[in-house]
Amino acid sequence: MTEQLAVSKIKEGTVIDHINAGKALLVLKILGISAGSKERVLMAMNVPSRKMGRKDIVKVEGKFIGEEELNRIALIAPKATINLIKDYEIYKKFRVVLPETVEGVLTCPNRHCITNSREPIVRRFNVSMVDDSVVVKCHYCGRKITEVDKYIVST
Ligand code: CTP
Ligand code: ZN
């Protein structure tokens, strides 16, 4: 490791590295971490990275976050790497994979969409890559979301 350590190592938990610069707060939102959460979280924003220029890092101590939840991060940070840590050692390292569908994590921008009515419907979106950008389409009304950042809700 040639880069200077931006935040200290953790004993146990989940490290999300190589997050696109500026997206760490949205990563926390996707993971449902906000004011009042009890998790111990270390975070760095806009730190220098050899591969990315600048990047963000999020470390959640004492918690092994599930793969399905982590893969949602690919919506906003497709190059994020996950490191699962036990006793200071990395025992698993993998890249996030863009899911084909996501449930619950986004809201539909279409006011008339059935998911925005009072019906208790689980919001679902179909996800694809078009020319290097993530395209998300509402399963119910077909509305496309191009600026995914704006429609993320905490889960
Ligand atoms: N890390 C941590 N606590 C540990 C071990 C590692 O917080 N006990 C973090 C490191 O700070 C880094 C990430 O986990 O952010 C990956 O660690 P490592 O593989 O050692 O770093 P790199 O070689 O730079 O990673 P990569 O190959 O993914 O670029
Ligand atoms: Zn819709």
Side-chain angles (χ1 to χ4, degrees), residues 108-110 113-116 125 138-143:
C108 184
N110 174 8
C113 180
I114 190 158
T115 61
N116 289 324
F125 293 83
C138 178
H139 170 77
Y140 295 94
C141 74
R143 176 70 65 91

mmCIF file of all heavy atoms in Angstrom, residues 108-110 113-116 125 138-143, ligand 2:
data_model
loop_
_atom_site.group_PDB
_atom_site.id
_atom_site.type_symbol
_atom_site.label_atom_id
_atom_site.label_comp_id
_atom_site.label_asym_id
_atom_site.label_seq_id
_atom_site.Cartn_x
_atom_site.Cartn_y
_atom_site.Cartn_z
ATOM 1 N N CYS A 108 -39.846 6.655 -7.286
ATOM 2 C CA CYS A 108 -40.148 6.983 -8.679
ATOM 3 C C CYS A 108 -40.440 8.489 -8.804
ATOM 4 O O CYS A 108 -41.217 9.042 -8.032
ATOM 5 C CB CYS A 108 -41.341 6.167 -9.145
ATOM 6 S SG CYS A 108 -41.687 6.435 -10.894
ATOM 7 N N PRO A 109 -39.809 9.157 -9.800
ATOM 8 C CA PRO A 109 -40.029 10.601 -9.993
ATOM 9 C C PRO A 109 -41.414 10.921 -10.558
ATOM 10 O O PRO A 109 -41.837 12.080 -10.519
ATOM 11 C CB PRO A 109 -38.961 11.010 -11.008
ATOM 12 C CG PRO A 109 -38.190 9.797 -11.345
ATOM 13 C CD PRO A 109 -38.853 8.600 -10.759
ATOM 14 N N ASN A 110 -42.099 9.911 -11.057
ATOM 15 C CA ASN A 110 -43.421 10.123 -11.650
ATOM 16 C C ASN A 110 -44.482 10.222 -10.549
ATOM 17 O O ASN A 110 -44.800 9.242 -9.896
ATOM 18 C CB ASN A 110 -43.717 8.951 -12.599
ATOM 19 C CG ASN A 110 -45.127 8.998 -13.152
ATOM 20 O OD1 ASN A 110 -45.864 9.972 -12.964
ATOM 21 N ND2 ASN A 110 -45.498 7.926 -13.838
ATOM 22 N N CYS A 113 -47.242 7.702 -10.590
ATOM 23 C CA CYS A 113 -46.895 6.275 -10.502
ATOM 24 C C CYS A 113 -47.635 5.641 -9.321
ATOM 25 O O CYS A 113 -47.786 6.255 -8.264
ATOM 26 C CB CYS A 113 -45.392 6.113 -10.302
ATOM 27 S SG CYS A 113 -44.868 4.383 -10.190
ATOM 28 N N ILE A 114 -48.045 4.394 -9.523
ATOM 29 C CA ILE A 114 -48.797 3.702 -8.468
ATOM 30 C C ILE A 114 -47.985 3.579 -7.170
ATOM 31 O O ILE A 114 -48.532 3.566 -6.069
ATOM 32 C CB ILE A 114 -49.282 2.321 -8.968
ATOM 33 C CG1 ILE A 114 -50.275 1.716 -7.969
ATOM 34 C CG2 ILE A 114 -48.119 1.361 -9.215
ATOM 35 C CD1 ILE A 114 -51.182 0.668 -8.540
ATOM 36 N N THR A 115 -46.648 3.575 -7.303
ATOM 37 C CA THR A 115 -45.807 3.476 -6.098
ATOM 38 C C THR A 115 -45.839 4.763 -5.275
ATOM 39 O O THR A 115 -45.401 4.784 -4.127
ATOM 40 C CB THR A 115 -44.336 3.168 -6.446
ATOM 41 O OG1 THR A 115 -43.810 4.223 -7.259
ATOM 42 C CG2 THR A 115 -44.189 1.856 -7.175
ATOM 43 N N ASN A 116 -46.337 5.856 -5.877
ATOM 44 C CA ASN A 116 -46.478 7.108 -5.132
ATOM 45 C C ASN A 116 -47.914 7.358 -4.666
ATOM 46 O O ASN A 116 -48.240 8.426 -4.158
ATOM 47 C CB ASN A 116 -45.995 8.291 -5.981
ATOM 48 C CG ASN A 116 -44.485 8.266 -6.134
ATOM 49 O OD1 ASN A 116 -43.771 7.894 -5.212
ATOM 50 N ND2 ASN A 116 -43.997 8.642 -7.308
ATOM 51 N N PHE A 125 -37.281 -1.268 -9.376
ATOM 52 C CA PHE A 125 -36.678 -0.671 -10.566
ATOM 53 C C PHE A 125 -35.796 -1.681 -11.288
ATOM 54 O O PHE A 125 -35.146 -2.504 -10.652
ATOM 55 C CB PHE A 125 -35.840 0.556 -10.180
ATOM 56 C CG PHE A 125 -36.682 1.688 -9.654
ATOM 57 C CD1 PHE A 125 -37.079 1.716 -8.331
ATOM 58 C CD2 PHE A 125 -37.119 2.694 -10.496
ATOM 59 C CE1 PHE A 125 -37.886 2.742 -7.846
ATOM 60 C CE2 PHE A 125 -37.922 3.717 -10.027
ATOM 61 C CZ PHE A 125 -38.308 3.740 -8.696
ATOM 62 N N CYS A 138 -38.475 2.449 -13.715
ATOM 63 C CA CYS A 138 -39.506 1.966 -12.797
ATOM 64 C C CYS A 138 -40.207 0.741 -13.377
ATOM 65 O O CYS A 138 -40.642 0.748 -14.528
ATOM 66 C CB CYS A 138 -40.524 3.069 -12.512
ATOM 67 S SG CYS A 138 -41.865 2.535 -11.425
ATOM 68 N N HIS A 139 -40.311 -0.302 -12.584
ATOM 69 C CA HIS A 139 -40.959 -1.543 -13.007
ATOM 70 C C HIS A 139 -42.447 -1.320 -13.298
ATOM 71 O O HIS A 139 -43.036 -1.979 -14.134
ATOM 72 C CB HIS A 139 -40.789 -2.590 -11.910
ATOM 73 C CG HIS A 139 -41.584 -3.833 -12.100
ATOM 74 N ND1 HIS A 139 -41.207 -4.812 -12.989
ATOM 75 C CD2 HIS A 139 -42.757 -4.242 -11.544
ATOM 76 C CE1 HIS A 139 -42.117 -5.789 -12.967
ATOM 77 N NE2 HIS A 139 -43.060 -5.472 -12.094
ATOM 78 N N TYR A 140 -43.057 -0.348 -12.602
ATOM 79 C CA TYR A 140 -44.503 -0.159 -12.714
ATOM 80 C C TYR A 140 -44.903 0.811 -13.820
ATOM 81 O O TYR A 140 -45.823 0.547 -14.587
ATOM 82 C CB TYR A 140 -45.086 0.301 -11.376
ATOM 83 C CG TYR A 140 -44.940 -0.754 -10.314
ATOM 84 C CD1 TYR A 140 -43.852 -0.736 -9.452
ATOM 85 C CD2 TYR A 140 -45.851 -1.804 -10.210
ATOM 86 C CE1 TYR A 140 -43.684 -1.723 -8.498
ATOM 87 C CE2 TYR A 140 -45.690 -2.797 -9.263
ATOM 88 C CZ TYR A 140 -44.607 -2.745 -8.411
ATOM 89 O OH TYR A 140 -44.443 -3.739 -7.480
ATOM 90 N N CYS A 141 -44.229 1.978 -13.914
ATOM 91 C CA CYS A 141 -44.672 2.977 -14.886
ATOM 92 C C CYS A 141 -43.672 3.203 -16.023
ATOM 93 O O CYS A 141 -43.961 3.919 -16.972
ATOM 94 C CB CYS A 141 -44.963 4.311 -14.187
ATOM 95 S SG CYS A 141 -43.470 5.200 -13.682
ATOM 96 N N GLY A 142 -42.480 2.599 -15.916
ATOM 97 C CA GLY A 142 -41.503 2.708 -16.994
ATOM 98 C C GLY A 142 -40.690 3.989 -16.993
ATOM 99 O O GLY A 142 -39.812 4.166 -17.838
ATOM 100 N N ARG A 143 -40.942 4.884 -16.038
ATOM 101 C CA ARG A 143 -40.191 6.144 -15.991
ATOM 102 C C ARG A 143 -38.706 5.873 -15.748
ATOM 103 O O ARG A 143 -38.350 5.078 -14.906
ATOM 104 C CB ARG A 143 -40.746 7.040 -14.871
ATOM 105 C CG ARG A 143 -39.985 8.344 -14.654
ATOM 106 C CD ARG A 143 -40.152 9.347 -15.779
ATOM 107 N NE ARG A 143 -41.508 9.826 -15.922
ATOM 108 C CZ ARG A 143 -42.007 10.922 -15.298
ATOM 109 N NH1 ARG A 143 -41.246 11.619 -14.484
ATOM 110 N NH2 ARG A 143 -43.259 11.287 -15.512
HETATM 111 ZN ZN ZN B 2 -42.986 4.606 -11.422
#
